Amino acid sequence: MPIVSADQSELVVRKLLSGGVVAIPTDTVYGVAALATQADAVRALSHLKGRDEDQPIAVLIDSAAAIAPFLDDPASLDRVMALWPGRSP
């Protein structure tokens, strides 16, 4: 995995969209990332992390609404929103 500068973010996006795995710096550690919607990329990520394929991997999203397409019951989004971090019960 090559390390790219901040101005090369398009390279990172292309890599993710093509099913690749990338390392992303955060405020404390580097995270290893892939698109959760690409099964081959998730398998590659699991392999790199030394995990069994059936072991869950955290998925980061930008809003609770972004998970709606992945819910078996779209009405369950209301229940998800009630548990969303930063929301009062």
Side-chain angles (χ1 to χ4, degrees), residues 10-22 34-35 37-38:
E10 287 184 28
L11 175 64
V12 173
V13 170
R14 282 197 307 273
K15 184 72 168 178
L16 288 169
L17 292 174
S18 69
V21 177
V22 300
L35 290 181
T37 55
Q38 295 188 7

Side-chain angles (χ1 to χ4, degrees), residues 22-38:
V22 300
I24 300 173
T26 70
D27 61 334
T28 54
V29 298
Y30 278 84
V32 185
L35 290 181
T37 55
Q38 295 188 7

Side-chain angles (χ1 to χ4, degrees), residues 1-84:
M1 271 184 269
I3 296 177
V4 299
S5 62
D7 63 334
Q8 293 178 309
S9 59
E10 287 184 28
L11 175 64
V12 173
V13 170
R14 282 197 307 273
K15 184 72 168 178
L16 288 169
L17 292 174
S18 69
V21 177
V22 300
I24 300 173
T26 70
D27 61 334
T28 54
V29 298
Y30 278 84
V32 185
L35 290 181
T37 55
Q38 295 188 7
D40 288 341
V42 173
R43 276 191 288 280
L45 179 61
S46 292
H47 177 73
L48 283 171
K49 293 175 74 69
R51 294 179 175 219
D52 292 330
E53 285 187 29
D54 60 346
Q55 186 176 3
I57 294 177
V59 176
L60 303 178
I61 56 175
D62 62 349
S63 69
I67 65 168
F70 305 101
L71 298 173
D72 291 334
D73 174 16
S76 64
L77 183 57
D78 292 335
R79 293 191 300 277
V80 170
M81 290 298 295
L83 301 171
W84 199 254

